[in-house]
Amino acid sequence: MRMVDIITKKRDGFSLSPEEIRFFIQGYVSGKIPDYQASALAMAIFFRDMTDSEIAELTRAMVASGDTVDLSAIAGIKVDKHSTGGVGDTTTLVLAPLVAAVGVPVAKMSGRGLGFTGGTIDKLESIPGFSVEMTGEQFITHVNGDHIAVIGQTGDLVPADKKLYALRDVSGSIESIPLIASSIMSKKIAAGADAIVLEVTCGEGAFMKNEEDAVRLADTMVRIGKNVGRKTAAVITDMSQPLGYAIGNALEIKEAIDTLKGHGPSDLEELVFELGSRMVQFAGKAENLDDARGLLHQALEQGHALNKFKQFVENQGGDAGVVDHPERLPQAKYQFELPATDSGFVAGMNADQIGLAAMLLGAGRATKEDTINYATGIVLNKKIGDSVKKGEALLTIHSDSKQIDQVIDKLYQNITISEQARKPQLIHQIIH
Ligand code: URA
Ligand code: CA
């Protein structure tokens, strides 16, 4: 088999055989196939697309390129959740203890954040003492006992994706649906998930700029899941503004705790119940979605989800006292309100740019080597569709520095006020 023949075959619009796909992935990871040939094939895939069976085979070959996590020692159906990226995305912090409280095993391997989307681990590490370092045995013991644990990346999962993603990033083929879908699904499958609930975000601040592309991506991932024997569903959501009110690590922990106490932002709560009820159903803990939703509401209202969060934080060495004393979380030195320059309705809040403003305050990393300031970030007072009076606070900036002119400029540039505006619908559609 020759790589050049595989490239020209795809270039001319033909489907690749499973052997050809495996030859490419194995050869690329082992270094036998050079970057220039891999990038030519990625570009050919970008233009010619792939069939369902090609995409499933590509995903399998990527999973097989490295280590896979064996969760068979954990009782029950392991359901994982993935989001294609949001700003101020506090979902996992609420969802994990909530579904664990109804007995769904949450065995989560998570990553640190880069750029304007924060990582769940960074947020959890803002709790004093909290650690994701543990042995595989401890991880399994916690999940079997308390149904929840979060561990950092272990092993070399999907090396094919690390190499291919970096190559696509510098050769113009990131925006290919079969390549994005296989990249995401291979990582979830390698991490041991039996079933997967996806959130595919769309809007200015998201990977997929419009609903049509988001639906195509979601549909492709759901079909991969089915092809490789994993129950999969996807929720298409609006990411034209940040989720909830808080953006920043400790600020989002506080928002998650408020939500677990039953008084969180309504959009965050809506999304948590939508994703959570599907996780509960996939895990076989409820017959149908209505029953699943009922179980989750009960767990929230009766305080089981909040108790689960405390137990989870304690298990991982953290100070569970932050639940009753949020002032024990890292606090920024200064708080500045950003006053509205006009009266009217908030019509736009560019999620990615507001995420970048939070990053400039230290809440995120511009490069992998940066350290995070857990205390800083932004708390919105207004969201799209809210009315506002001139001089009223649009948001509060939590900063350790008084030099925030650049942040203020960026925020004003990305929040628009007009004479009328409607609240956007958060959940667009469900693909399953
Ligand atoms: N996220 C991923 O993990 N992979 C892609 O290809 C794009 C977004
Ligand atoms: Ca939030």
Side-chain angles (χ1 to χ4, degrees):
M1 222 177 273
R2 294 192 318 157
M3 184 61 187
V4 64
D5 299 328
I6 296 175
I7 297 168
T8 52
K9 191 174 176 187
K10 183 45 76 182
R11 181 201 66 194
D12 295 339
F14 296 100
S15 296
L16 303 178
S17 70
E19 294 72 30
E20 286 164 335
I21 289 169
R22 287 197 293 270
F23 175 86
F24 159 58
I25 291 295
Q26 286 164 7
Y28 186 47
V29 172
S30 70
K32 284 192 204 116
I33 292 171
D35 278 346
Y36 53 83
Q37 286 188 312
S39 79
L41 181 62
M43 191 56 82
I45 293 171
F46 175 91
F47 281 112
R48 291 296 194 171
D49 212 336
M50 285 182 125
T51 64
D52 276 359
S53 45
E54 282 179 289
I55 300 172
E57 194 55 45
L58 177 61
T59 307
R60 279 191 210 100
M62 305 242 294
V63 171
S65 73
D67 298 333
T68 53
V69 179
D70 180 5
L71 297 178
S72 57
I74 294 170
I77 300 168
K78 276 72 70 179
V79 190
D80 204 353
K81 169 254 169 190
H82 178 83
S83 168
T84 59
V87 170
D89 184 358
T90 316
T91 315
T92 300
L93 298 170
V94 182
L95 193 55
L98 179 61
V99 301
V102 304
V104 177
V106 177
K108 192 141 189 76
M109 187 180 274
S110 209
R112 292 192 164 73
L114 185 62
F116 57 81
T117 55
T120 297
I121 288 189
D122 296 313
K123 295 171 192 178
L124 287 167
E125 284 176 344
S126 74
I127 301 171
F130 191 98
S131 167
V132 293
E133 304 291 322
M134 66 182 95
T135 64
E137 256 171 49
Q138 287 169 323
F139 180 62
I140 284 168
T141 305
H142 283 316
V143 182
N144 274 333
D146 294 321
H147 297 125
I148 181 168
V150 175
I151 192 170
Q153 301 288 352
T154 59
D156 189 14
L157 302 192
V158 202
D161 179 64
K162 293 190 185 102
K163 218 173 155 180
L164 198 54
Y165 192 68
L167 181 76
R168 287 163 53 213
D169 198 22
V170 294
S171 58
S173 57
I174 285 285
E175 297 87 351
S176 154
I177 301 245
L179 294 178
I180 298 174
S182 55
S183 163
I184 292 173
M185 290 299 283
S186 62
K187 286 177 279 195
K188 291 284 118 183
I189 292 163
D194 299 316
I196 301 156
V197 176
L198 300 159
E199 181 201 357
V200 178
T201 50
C202 67
E204 234 4 87
F207 237 97
M208 297 291 123
K209 303 296 173 211
N210 59 61
E211 183 166 351
E212 194 188 329
D213 287 344
V215 168
R216 274 216 302 144
L217 176 62
D219 196 48
T220 305
M221 291 195 286
V222 168
R223 278 182 286 134
I224 293 175
K226 288 187 178 152
N227 264 315
V228 301
R230 263 69 167 190
K231 283 186 188 163
T232 308
V235 177
I236 311 281
T237 61
D238 173 83
M239 195 44 69
S240 55
Q241 63 181 339
L243 188 67
Y245 293 110
I247 307 138
N249 298 278
L251 295 170
E252 288 186 53
I253 291 289
K254 180 164 183 307
E255 180 166 76
I257 292 168
D258 288 342
T259 309
L260 289 165
K261 286 178 176 169
H263 34 87
S266 57
D267 58 345
L268 175 60
E269 194 172 285
E270 182 187 357
L271 182 57
V272 162
F273 279 104
E274 190 65 48
L275 297 168
S277 53
R278 278 159 216 283
M279 293 175 76
V280 170
Q281 195 192 16
F282 278 171
K285 300 287 174 192
E287 292 276 322
N288 57 49
L289 285 174
D290 283 343
D291 289 355
R293 204 172 265 268
L295 289 175
L296 292 175
H297 274 288
Q298 236 175 26
L300 192 77
E301 281 153 21
Q302 299 179 349
H304 301 314
L306 186 66
N307 286 336
K308 186 57 76 180
F309 180 80
K310 283 187 192 166
Q311 191 172 44
F312 159 57
V313 169
E314 249 164 44
N315 283 350
Q316 304 209 196
D319 175 11
V322 299
V323 167
D324 299 312
H325 301 280
E327 70 280 3
R328 289 200 209 162
L329 288 164
Q331 309 279 324
K333 280 199 198 112
Y334 310 107
Q335 293 187 14
F336 305 100
E337 290 188 341
L338 188 79
T341 51
D342 285 302
S343 293
F345 289 87
V346 178
M349 287 204 146
N350 224 327
D352 54 344
Q353 294 300 313
I354 292 174
L356 280 175
M359 192 184 85
L360 291 175
L361 293 164
R365 296 182 182 84
T367 71
K368 267 190 285 194
E369 289 71 32
D370 285 352
T371 53
I372 286 209
N373 184 330
Y374 293 124
T376 58
I378 291 166
V379 179
L380 305 177
N381 297 340
K382 300 284 179 183
K383 296 201 52 163
I384 297 178
D386 287 344
S387 70
V388 60
K389 289 202 179 64
K390 184 174 175 180
E392 203 183 351
L394 290 166
L395 52 83
T396 305
I397 297 167
H398 294 244
S399 173
D400 272 349
S401 159
K402 285 183 177 170
Q403 264 79 54
I404 54 164
D405 291 355
Q406 206 192 342
V407 173
I408 289 175
D409 287 348
K410 192 176 253 320
L411 290 168
Y412 274 133
Q413 279 159 17
N414 288 285
I415 298 175
T416 46
I417 295 172
S418 60
E419 278 173 19
Q420 51 180 338
R422 279 199 302 147
K423 282 197 182 296
Q425 192 185 336
L426 176 65
I427 294 170
H428 287 292
Q429 2 180 343
I430 315 288
I431 312 281
H432 54 86

